[in-house]
Amino acid sequence: MSLKVYNTLTGKLEEFVPLDPPKVLIYTCGVTVYDDSHVGHGRSLIVFDTFRRFLEHLGYHVRFVRNFTDVDDKIINRAKEECTDFMTIANRYIASYYRDMEAIRVKPADVEPRVTEHIEEIIDVIQRLIEGGYAYVSDGDVYFSVKSFKDYGKLSKRSPEEMEAGARVEPSEKKRDPLDFALWKSSKEGEPSWDSPWGPGRPGWHTECVAMAFKHLGRTIDIHGGGLDLVFPHHENEIAQAEAITGRPFARYWLHNGLVTVGGQKMSKSLGNYVTLREIYTRYHPDILRLLVLFTHYRSPLDFSWEKMEESQRAYERLKGAIEDYEVLKSLKVVKDRAGGTHPLYERVRSMEADFLEALSDDFNTPEAMSHLFSLVSELGKIKNRAYSEGKIAGSELSAYEFASKSLHNLMKKMFGLLEDLDPECSVERVVERELEAGDVVDTKLIDLLVEVRNIARKDKNFKIADFIRDRLGELGIELEDTPAGTRWKKS
RNA sequence: GGCGACGUGGCCGAGCGGUUAGGCGAGGGACUGCAAAUCCCUUUUACGGCGGUUCGAAUCCGCCCGUCGCCUCCA
């Protein structure tokens, strides 16, 4: 099976061929740690986490690097506001980031480098650029000379001439050309600074990713990713620096995820229309956000709303229910069936798996992959419905159901990172944690007792009491469901 | 102004030259003590507008209208 990906650099769908298979080298630009991450960051993280999972499934050995920008203007400003140093701010939000990633189940990268730990490498890159005639020193600053790199603009598809015509670029006394960008900034009083051949200062934003990619992955990487809003100027500038030094392609494939919008407008700090990841996962199971993200193709814009979270929640419950209901079916009366041959469900599962993987191979078409999952869920629902109404299930059908539900669960878990806590080890802790945060811990034993009482009432046809218990539990956020195998309850 | 996307049924959202996407919602039915869950049926000129190419277009081309992104820090 060949994987096709959309390469921003060429603007085309291309077959994915790593430089040195089975190795796949991926670099994505991580967050600037000056505040909590929001849904926009979350989407990018989830998208690339999914790519990585799929590549690993295809048998590639993925080496994944995602950096932290832990020194920049915003961090410094924030530190000033709080009368503390920038490192305190950076460390605080790195911790917050890790907490978020664990909650939304994005696997850590293999290397998560910090800018402040790579100053030497950054200086080295800048020095090479100066030596090569691509950069110049100007009063303690160092700038990259955009006109010196002939391919400038190839990623974002714009030429320096056009950009000058558009000219919203701030002219600076120190720059020779308004399009030039800073590689090294001399530091002002009280700002973090490091010694360099050009005097004390700190790195500009665009060099760090080049230096860290060189160090941890090499001179040409397979995939460079990030949000669509990084294409220009950040990624364009990365290409200019890296390729000016090496004379060869920096990344073979440039992959960009679409942005998250709110009411059609980009979600961003500056507009103030953002929702933090923490807000999401304290209100919803983290899988709901994942599902929401995967329900849209990664390159399309994704308009966030709480209504959509509710929709995903429903869809999620259906998915989850199909898998969990195996436990109910198992406790029904299982009858022997003389029927020979294999159950047609096995074939359905096989073709679903094939369709699912094929969809992912087509530029990670997760919405289509998802649709195949749901068509199997419908199949399972039919079986379940029949078994419930007959109060029994054939042994062969039960095994087929188990096979199908395991296949569903495996794909979701492995490829999409969903339903991981259906495994008993993970569940309790997470649920309790969320309940503590929501501030409404319930005593499960007490609920079981009430359910028992209600079932006694039902047996006696005292539906008034039975319904009263159900209603009151419902008000407390406990939903009851009477199945042929007894009453089950869950938190709503 | 320049560059780049996008406009699909009640909503969301795949498809991108001929065959059922899928999800959510709504209405009806089956099941249930009633619910819930699940299933079945319905929501059958869906593809921004106007032209063009083609035996055939949501899918290709042109123009127009509308929305958004980037051009400044941003996942």
Side-chain angles (χ1 to χ4, degrees), chain A residues 98-238:
Chain A
Y98 278 123
R99 187 194 58 207
D100 291 348
M101 290 311 99
E102 203 202 328
I104 66 168
R105 305 214 181 106
V106 168
K107 289 197 210 173
D110 298 302
V111 188
E112 303 189 317
R114 296 174 61 151
V115 173
T116 51
E117 287 166 3
H118 292 76
I119 301 295
E120 232 176 273
E121 288 82 356
I122 290 169
I123 289 175
D124 183 58
V125 166
I126 297 173
Q127 204 139 26
R128 280 164 197 270
L129 287 170
I130 295 172
E131 283 161 15
Y134 294 100
Y136 55 90
V137 185
S138 175
D139 189 25
D141 289 357
V142 182
Y143 293 95
F144 186 93
S145 168
V146 163
K147 295 252 167 73
S148 71
F149 182 70
K150 64 174 172 36
D151 282 339
Y152 195 80
K154 69 176 176 180
L155 181 71
S156 53
K157 283 144 189 89
R158 57 188 96 197
S159 66
E161 291 73 37
E162 284 165 3
M163 285 184 267
E164 280 188 344
R168 244 208 279 163
V169 189
E170 289 287 313
S172 157
E173 311 269 303
K174 293 182 176 182
K175 288 184 194 175
R176 288 181 193 163
D177 187 294
L179 297 180
D180 293 351
F181 57 90
L183 304 177
W184 187 264
K185 299 174 173 179
S186 60
S187 48
K188 300 189 195 96
E189 190 60 37
E191 284 185 353
S193 88
W194 289 264
D195 287 332
S196 82
W198 324 287
R202 59 191 169 95
W205 178 37
H206 306 297
T207 313
E208 58 185 64
C209 292
V210 175
M212 292 188 278
F214 277 2
K215 177 168 184 192
H216 299 288
L217 294 173
R219 310 232 128 181
T220 295
I221 61 184
D222 291 303
I223 294 174
H224 192 125
L228 202 57
D229 54 353
L230 293 184
V231 172
F232 190 90
H234 186 53
H235 289 165
E236 193 70 63
N237 291 352
E238 281 187 49

